[in-house]
Amino acid sequence: MRFPPGTPRALGLAAALAATAIAGAAAPQPPTRTARAPRAEDGGAPSAVEPGATPLRGSLGVPVAQRLLASSDPEARLRGIERLGAIGTEEAVSALLAALEQGAPGARDPRARLAAVRTLAPHAARDSVRQLLSRELSEGGAPARSAASPLGELLRGTAALALARSGDRRALGALLNAIVQGGAAGEAAARALRAYPPASLQLLLGSRKRLEPALVAFLGELGDLRAIGALRPMLEGGDRAAQVAAARALARLGDEAALAKARAWLRSPEPGLLEATAEILVHLGAPEAPDAVAALLGSERARLEGLRLAELAPSERLVPALARALPLLPEDARPRAVAAMGRAGGAEAARQLRGLVARPELATAAAFALATTPGAEARAAVAEMIEGARAAKDADLRRLGLRAGVVRGLVLGDAPEALEGRLLAALAAPRGSSERAVGVFGAVALGLRDAGEVVGACSPAACDRAAVHAAARGALARGERALAALAPLFAELAAAGGGDAAGGDDAAPDAAAISAGVALLAAPRGGAVATSRLAALAEAGGPLAPLAARALAARDDEVIRGRLKRLLEGSDPVVRAHVALGLGSDPMPDSVSLLARAYRFEDDPAVRRAIVRGLSRRAEVQRTRALLAARDLDPDEGVRALARAALSDVPRASTSRALDAPRPALATGVVWVAIVPNDRSAAASASSRPARLVRPDGVAVPVVADPDGVLLVPGVPPGVSSVLLAPAAPPGDSGS
């Protein structure tokens, strides 16, 4: 066919197709009762077409999905579930339920059941769907099939959220029954109802004449003030267990109706009531609360509960009781008591902590408490550790005081006056010594010296590695500019590998390279480091692996895609999370599909958070389905919050807002870790030990301890951090 000059080819193509269609319509057509030959991906042999069935239904509808669900291929079953979910008719839902009956292939596959629960969530009000979701909630699937599956908890939590989100009265009843029964199902049900509170408490409680203690406790945790009316009458009932449960729940809701009851119990103590009384008084901020908590600290049976309440409600009046309880607490709980003294504050706390500094097993905890306790008394105690008479004779105490002073300066901006001069004097200590390491860290962290200035010339052949370790950690307190200044050093050391001048992609990283690797925090794409070297570091494991994996994913191309897939499916969840973060900046448009597929069956909540962060940076429409699933049905509250944020402040749900990690300048927390070997003969293993610190935002920071085995890591956001020590010292560190 010829087209006039200037005719758009698209228009010409449309005309040709139209002509073909007209010509085809005029010709006689053969009968169309024969089904097409099945494809291999359909997972089965062709089935005869039912009388009256249309070719379109036989090719694309429920029958094809049923054949996929009956397949022995797990991926084919997943496609069948997705197809039925896309159809969404009553027939499709019934077919999916039938495929999950006991003995069916899909019923034995946790991944298929999880996909089915997500697909069936919009239909949770149907009796048959609600029954299936209730079964998954109570069992997580049959124990014989999925007890060992890492997806069991994810499956249980998703089913609970689907029931709660429906708002259906019978679905809420199933959740309440799970709460009353307790266990993992009860915890999942409680989390789901907190995520999706019922529109009416009457809808939740129904016609229950008696509220079980577990249900009463949940009402207090729910935070719904409408529950007060149902709880107050229980205070005067004859059942003491019900009275205690109601008083605790009302106290959590801030209702002072429980205060009179708690004071009465305090005046006439009964066995077993002291813990409940103290908790009620603490939640309501009653003046009698410190005395009640002190009584718990003096009780052998309730001492740990007293410590928990002392942490919850610090008070100077509790310091003497904490000091008396300290030697009676389990060894692993004693640092918590020391920290509780610091949070209580005051002159007595400073005095007690000053004495604990002399006890080696509690010295670090006491020094950290003094460093973070406001007030002149605590500052004076830190100054005494730096320049007191004992400090002049005890180098260990002096280093402890210098570290406490630096932490105090970073956290409170209230460092002792003598700190700056002492830090600068420590810089003159011998190379490789703990004293110089402390001076380098403090001078860099407080902005007295530049990291590059104190490190000086450093190469694999000649380097004061202790200074590099300290300077790199100090730079974490100064923000991205200070970290970027370490990029040339990291590129040189990383290229050289384990100290061998020949280097090589397979060479283990030098100790100094591990420390200088903090430069990758400011260079998410890896800076000047070769892609092959980043791949080797990511696949080798160790402290540098997560940041190297993030940088490698940001450089994704066809050559390294296979390596990224293996990392994304690997056994280290921290590395998986960083691959997901890197894929958010991946130049390859199809990387969004990698993230979406990785989200479906990821069992680690921290990795799912990273995936949502990565998806929030993508512009492709494929991310929408995963973000909506994360927002509505992910059991982890953090994942749901991130997904909501990614989908907020935008005109349509098909667009998202990028979620970046908090800026280092806003993160003023400090992690203080003292590495203590289990055996004195292994003391050398603590010296200059590499480690990986995972911040609360999920970002991993490579660090190396000082020669005396102490790690101070600043620039950490609020929350829970984790530290994983490397199994052995890296090459090149024998002289530290």
Side-chain angles (χ1 to χ4, degrees), residues 57 61-63 65-67 69 80-81 83-102 104 116 119-124 126-132 135:
R57 181 179 181 277
V62 173
Q66 289 175 317
R67 290 198 298 271
L69 285 169
I81 292 170
R83 180 169 296 203
L84 290 176
I87 295 173
T89 62
E90 186 170 343
E91 180 188 10
V93 172
S94 298
L96 181 51
L97 290 170
L100 296 176
E101 291 295 331
Q102 302 291 338
T119 299
L120 293 170
H123 310 281
R126 288 184 52 172
D127 286 343
S128 54
V129 174
R130 186 185 68 256
Q131 291 169 8
L132 180 140
R135 186 179 76 224

Side-chain angles (χ1 to χ4, degrees), residues 362-389:
L362 294 175
T364 298
F368 189 76
L370 286 170
T372 54
T373 299
E377 298 90 350
R379 183 177 65 250
V382 173
E384 183 181 352
M385 295 167 59
I386 296 174
E387 57 179 356

Side-chain angles (χ1 to χ4, degrees), residues 396 399 403 429-441 463-471 473 511 515 673-677 682-690 703-712 729 733-736:
D396 292 340
R399 287 198 304 273
R403 287 175 171 130
R431 290 165 56 94
S433 66
S434 296
E435 285 73 14
R436 186 165 193 267
V438 172
V440 168
F441 171 79
C463 186
D464 183 358
R465 290 177 174 80
V468 175
H469 306 332
R473 284 185 281 106
S515 286
V673 177
I675 303 173
V676 180
S685 65
S687 177
S688 301
R689 186 72 172 267
V703 292
V704 180
D706 286 336
D708 58 356
V710 175
L711 271 171
L712 273 179
D733 221 27
S734 58
S736 296

Side-chain angles (χ1 to χ4, degrees), residues 125-351:
R126 288 184 52 172
D127 286 343
S128 54
V129 174
R130 186 185 68 256
Q131 291 169 8
L132 180 140
L133 294 175
S134 299
R135 186 179 76 224
E136 295 291 5
L137 168 64
S138 61
E139 302 176 0
R145 295 180 313 200
S146 68
S149 171
L151 293 177
E153 189 63 28
L154 180 60
L155 179 57
R156 181 183 293 110
T158 304
L161 285 168
L163 290 168
R165 189 167 178 262
S166 71
D168 179 73
R169 178 179 58 81
R170 291 165 296 181
L172 296 178
L175 292 171
L176 286 188
N177 290 335
I179 291 174
V180 171
Q181 293 172 6
E187 294 174 1
R191 288 193 298 267
L193 285 173
R194 287 196 293 268
Y196 293 105
S200 165
L201 279 185
Q202 186 60 35
L203 184 65
L204 179 66
L205 301 178
S207 58
R208 289 177 179 264
K209 297 181 179 179
R210 177 181 177 272
L211 299 182
E212 294 85 350
L215 181 54
V216 172
F218 166 72
L219 292 176
E221 297 170 358
L222 186 61
D224 192 330
L225 297 182
R226 294 174 298 178
I228 292 176
L231 294 173
R232 278 182 175 176
M234 297 178 62
L235 292 176
E236 305 304 327
D239 185 355
R240 181 51 55 89
Q243 290 181 8
V244 172
R248 276 179 151 161
L250 287 169
R252 286 182 175 272
L253 294 172
D255 183 47
E256 293 192 353
L259 188 56
K261 185 67 69 174
R263 284 172 171 165
W265 292 336
L266 190 62
R267 289 191 299 268
S268 303
E270 298 181 27
L273 281 184
L274 183 57
E275 294 181 36
T277 302
E279 180 182 340
I280 293 167
L281 295 172
V282 164
H283 279 297
L284 294 176
E288 302 94 336
D291 295 333
V293 175
L296 287 180
L297 289 168
S299 166
E300 181 179 0
R301 185 180 63 84
R303 191 168 287 123
L304 286 175
E305 176 64 10
L307 176 58
R308 184 186 72 84
L309 293 176
E311 293 171 322
L312 185 64
S315 170
E316 291 186 32
R317 291 162 55 188
L318 285 174
V319 172
L322 286 166
R324 290 191 298 269
L326 185 62
L328 304 174
L329 286 166
E331 186 175 353
D332 59 348
R334 291 172 190 172
R336 292 172 52 198
V338 173
M341 290 185 201
R343 283 196 288 272
E348 179 61 18
R351 188 183 72 81

